[in-house]
Amino acid sequence: MDLAPFERQYLKGLAHDLKPVVMIGNHGLTEAVVREIAINLDAHELIKIRVQGDDRDARVALFDQICDELGAAQVQHIGKLLVLWRPSDKQRVVLPKSKKALKAQP
């Protein structure tokens, strides 16, 4: 799932105050972790994930794998935090339709 730059910018702003809801530890991306991420995406749409470990390439690979498996969009990867977004049936996050709409919001 791809996001337009203004949509990504909007989601980054919403995610700023969020706390990580899932942690990926030393065992990596297990089935239980993927299931937990999916549950949280369904519940919140926009989530932060904390990844343990210092290997940036491994974190990038995990980010790609999670988004591919769960049909989520990559919003931001900053340090050990990953921000993902996937729309749910209840639609908690409404994306702006255009860059102009983004600027018009308070």
Side-chain angles (χ1 to χ4, degrees):
M1 175 182 300
D2 288 329
L3 295 171
F6 67 89
E7 293 172 328
R8 185 169 282 115
Q9 178 186 359
Y10 176 72
L11 291 171
K12 283 180 186 180
L14 292 179
H16 181 74
D17 293 329
L18 296 179
K19 302 285 186 226
V21 293
V22 178
M23 287 184 75
I24 300 176
N26 297 332
H27 297 292
L29 195 62
T30 63
E31 284 184 39
V33 172
V34 172
R35 199 170 34 249
E36 192 66 27
I37 293 169
I39 289 168
N40 279 285
L41 280 171
D42 288 339
H44 304 289
E45 287 187 352
L46 183 66
I47 64 168
K48 278 186 182 176
I49 299 170
R50 180 172 300 280
V51 181
Q52 301 299 315
D54 294 327
D55 186 3
R56 178 169 171 72
D57 294 332
R59 289 192 304 267
V60 170
L62 277 174
F63 202 17
D64 291 338
Q65 182 181 352
I66 292 167
C67 289
D68 288 343
E69 284 185 28
L70 299 177
Q74 295 183 2
V75 176
Q76 187 175 31
H77 174 199
I78 183 161
K80 295 181 179 185
L81 291 175
L82 310 176
V83 181
L84 288 83
W85 176 75
R86 183 178 72 182
S88 71
D89 297 337
K90 296 180 182 169
Q91 194 173 19
R92 289 172 177 76
V93 177
V94 179
L95 294 178
K97 301 288 183 209
S98 67
K99 200 171 194 174
K100 277 185 172 181
L102 179 63
K103 290 180 182 179
Q105 291 182 351

